[in-house]
Amino acid sequence: MSDILRTEAELEAIYGRPVEASTVKEVNWITPHYRAYIEASPYAALATSGPEGLDCSPRGDRPGFVRVHDEKTLMLPDRRGNNRIDSLRNIVRDPRVALLFMIPGVGNTLRVNGRAHLSIAPDLLESFAVEEKAPRSVTVIEVDAVYFQCARALVRSELWNPARHVDPKSLPSAGQILAALSGDRVGGETYDREWPGRAAATMW
């Protein structure tokens, strides 16, 4: 066998078969247990696919920002951002999506796979308004699979351990990165200084 794994049979020869607990947890609807995770989560990563390739984008808001419409449907408001809309561009061309929900202090995460479309129905947008500001679209997701992921990754990473938090000053700032990549056309100290106020004014 070569050093590169190319088939499922080669994978299974190394990893073996999954234990029952890793398969019985997967269902195609939102159980009451899984609903509790979704409603407690203030953060999710949204994965999409399009002609240019894959994309994974952070989504965050107040806990429960992803609405459980019914046991087969989730709704995700698109809050203000930088207008790149990479995820939305992908969804209108390829409906397949995945979500990874995280809850601060909780080791287990929740994974959802499904198919999405974008809605701009006025009543729906208004129902997601925060501080009288409605999203410009809502991603409506039909659930195909939902299951929890055990805590090993978060335990190994110590993600929720404050003692492991990184000092932001030890890394390049957004302004420094933008300035370096744009030849100082955008970014710099002004960008970093003004960003907190600009973000606060355009949060919703």
Side-chain angles (χ1 to χ4, degrees):
M1 184 171 65
S2 73
D3 293 335
I4 300 175
L5 299 175
R6 301 186 185 279
T7 68
E8 290 186 58
E10 291 173 343
L11 280 171
E12 291 173 358
I14 292 174
Y15 286 94
R17 304 294 296 174
V19 299
E20 184 179 13
S22 69
T23 57
V24 71
K25 64 185 178 182
E26 181 179 337
V27 294
N28 64 359
W29 59 287
I30 302 164
T31 70
H33 302 91
Y34 290 156
R35 179 175 188 143
Y37 270 72
I38 294 168
E39 292 180 342
S41 175
Y43 176 89
L46 172 65
T48 58
S49 176
E52 295 81 17
L54 303 176
D55 184 73
C56 188
S57 176
R59 293 290 190 268
D61 209 329
R62 296 166 181 172
F65 73 103
V66 177
R67 180 182 299 169
V68 180
H69 177 68
D70 57 42
E71 65 182 24
K72 289 288 292 183
T73 312
L74 296 176
M75 295 180 170
L76 167 61
D78 189 64
R79 300 300 182 191
R80 295 182 67 170
N82 57 19
N83 290 334
R84 280 187 56 122
I85 59 173
D86 298 303
S87 300
L88 307 186
R89 291 182 194 277
N90 282 347
I91 289 171
V92 297
R93 297 174 295 175
D94 184 335
R96 294 175 297 171
V97 299
L99 286 166
L100 175 67
F101 290 93
M102 302 178 73
I103 304 169
V106 176
N108 289 335
T109 56
L110 189 73
R111 298 170 64 172
V112 175
N113 298 326
R115 288 157 289 129
H117 67 268
L118 305 180
S119 175
I120 56 170
D123 290 347
L124 180 60
L125 298 181
E126 188 59 33
S127 74
F128 279 98
V130 175
E131 297 181 3
E132 300 183 351
K133 296 177 182 177
R136 283 181 282 183
S137 69
V138 171
T139 301
V140 181
I141 302 165
E142 181 180 350
V143 171
D144 291 329
V146 55
Y147 54 98
F148 76 89
Q149 183 79 35
C150 78
R152 286 190 184 90
L154 272 68
V155 170
R156 285 192 293 259
S157 67
E158 296 188 64
L159 184 65
W160 305 131
N161 181 0
R164 301 278 298 200
H165 288 182
V166 175
D167 181 358
K169 295 180 180 178
S170 69
L171 297 171
S173 69
Q176 290 170 334
I177 294 171
L178 288 169
L181 295 177
S182 70
D184 290 320
R185 292 192 312 275
V186 295
E189 293 182 5
T190 300
Y191 181 93
D192 288 332
R193 183 174 59 255
E194 294 178 351
W195 188 87
R198 185 168 61 250
T202 60
M203 189 63 63
W204 311 112

